[in-house]
């Protein structure tokens, strides 16, 4: 099995054009910082990637990097107009991921131990199933999940090893008007 690994943030326009051609990325603009904006979708599904091949800026459609070997979302777009799906990778955190996802954020079947890196300002559908952190969401109703994630990050209620800091989690529950049982 050949696992593709590229240097992030390529500087040469011809290198960027080559990578875009290889991954069938169309309708893109190369920005001054070497990132690309894409008018449409980006499909990097099941490409045996260990890292994203180029730095993305804004993607007006959806961004799919499912079923790879990613351990980081570094280089992913900062804004996604459709859905973002990064399921079935080896992510422990969503740091480096988009700041805005307009429709849905699918990150199931990873190794996520906290919510770090999830957009601060979001109102999209989320899917965290089959991750260690999902157990924290099981008793939170769908209408409160986004705020729960926001407050967990705001209060730093889960440490970098995935351990809940009970005093902080109690504050999260208080913000949501829920009773916390540790």
């Amino acid at each position: 099995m050949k696992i593709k690994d590229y240097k992030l943030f390529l500087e040469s326009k011809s290198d960027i054009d080559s990578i875009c051609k290889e991954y069938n990325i169309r309708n893109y603009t190369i920005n001054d910082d070497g990132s690309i904006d894409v008018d449409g979708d980006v499909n990097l599904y099941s490409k045996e990637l260990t890292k994203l091949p180029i730095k993305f800026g804004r993607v007006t459609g959806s961004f799919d990097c499912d079923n790879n070997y990613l351990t980081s979302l570094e280089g992913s777009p900062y804004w996604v107009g459709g859905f973002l799906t990064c399921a079935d990778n080896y992510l422990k955190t969503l740091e480096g991921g988009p700041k805005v996802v307009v429709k849905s954020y699918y990150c199931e079947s990873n190794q996520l131990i906290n919510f770090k890196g999830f957009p601060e300002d979001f109102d999209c559908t989320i899917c965290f199933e089959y991750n260690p952190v999902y157990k924290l969401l099981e008793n939170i109703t769908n209408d409160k999940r986004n705020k729960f994630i926001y407050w967990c990050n705001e209060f730093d209620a889960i440490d970098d090893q995935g351990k809940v800091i009970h005093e902080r989690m109690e504050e999260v529950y208080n913000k949501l008007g829920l009773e916390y049982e540790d």
Side-chain angles (χ1 to χ4, degrees):
M1 170 185 347
K2 180 181 170 192
I3 297 178
K4 298 176 183 174
D5 192 6
Y6 293 98
K7 177 183 170 193
L8 280 178
F9 317 130
L10 298 171
E11 297 177 13
S12 160
K13 182 183 182 318
S14 64
D15 287 344
I16 294 170
D17 287 333
S18 294
I19 296 295
C20 288
K21 184 176 182 179
E22 179 178 352
Y23 290 102
N24 200 27
I25 298 170
R26 299 185 173 146
N27 302 321
Y28 62 91
T29 302
I30 301 174
N31 300 312
D32 291 341
D33 66 354
S35 67
I36 65 167
D37 291 341
V38 180
D39 186 14
D41 297 334
V42 173
N43 183 359
L44 299 173
Y45 175 82
S46 200
K47 302 291 185 191
E48 299 181 356
L49 298 172
T50 58
K51 297 179 182 176
L52 294 174
I54 52 181
K55 182 179 176 185
F56 292 89
R58 184 178 169 102
V59 173
T60 63
S62 294
F63 188 85
D64 184 346
C65 58
D66 273 6
N67 200 34
N68 282 291
Y69 301 95
L70 300 176
T71 57
S72 170
L73 289 177
E74 186 177 357
S76 66
Y78 67 85
W79 191 93
V80 178
F83 67 83
L84 177 118
T85 180
C86 57
D88 297 307
N89 279 290
Y90 296 98
L91 301 170
K92 289 187 178 183
T93 177
L94 298 173
E95 292 173 309
K99 301 293 181 211
V100 175
V101 176
V102 174
K103 292 194 177 175
S104 300
Y105 201 128
Y106 299 102
C107 49
E108 66 269 25
S109 300
N110 274 288
Q111 299 169 3
L112 298 172
I113 58 173
N114 58 42
F115 301 113
K116 291 182 180 174
F118 201 76
E120 289 182 19
D121 184 21
F122 61 94
D123 194 23
C124 60
T125 304
I126 57 173
C127 186
F128 274 97
E129 284 84 355
Y130 310 109
N131 281 290
V133 76
Y134 182 69
K135 67 182 181 279
L136 297 174
L137 290 170
E138 288 179 321
N139 295 323
I140 305 296
T141 59
N142 285 338
D143 63 319
K144 293 187 180 197
R145 283 189 176 184
N146 290 13
K147 286 294 183 189
F148 177 79
I149 292 168
Y150 171 81
W151 288 115
C152 280
N153 287 337
E154 190 70 19
F155 285 113
D156 210 13
I158 309 164
D159 71 15
D160 290 339
Q161 286 73 47
K163 185 174 184 268
V164 171
I165 301 166
H166 295 288
E167 303 80 33
R168 295 178 184 177
M169 188 59 76
E170 187 172 5
E171 290 299 319
V172 170
Y173 273 71
N174 286 339
K175 283 287 191 182
L176 298 171
L178 301 173
E179 184 72 30
Y180 179 64
E181 297 175 24
D182 95 55

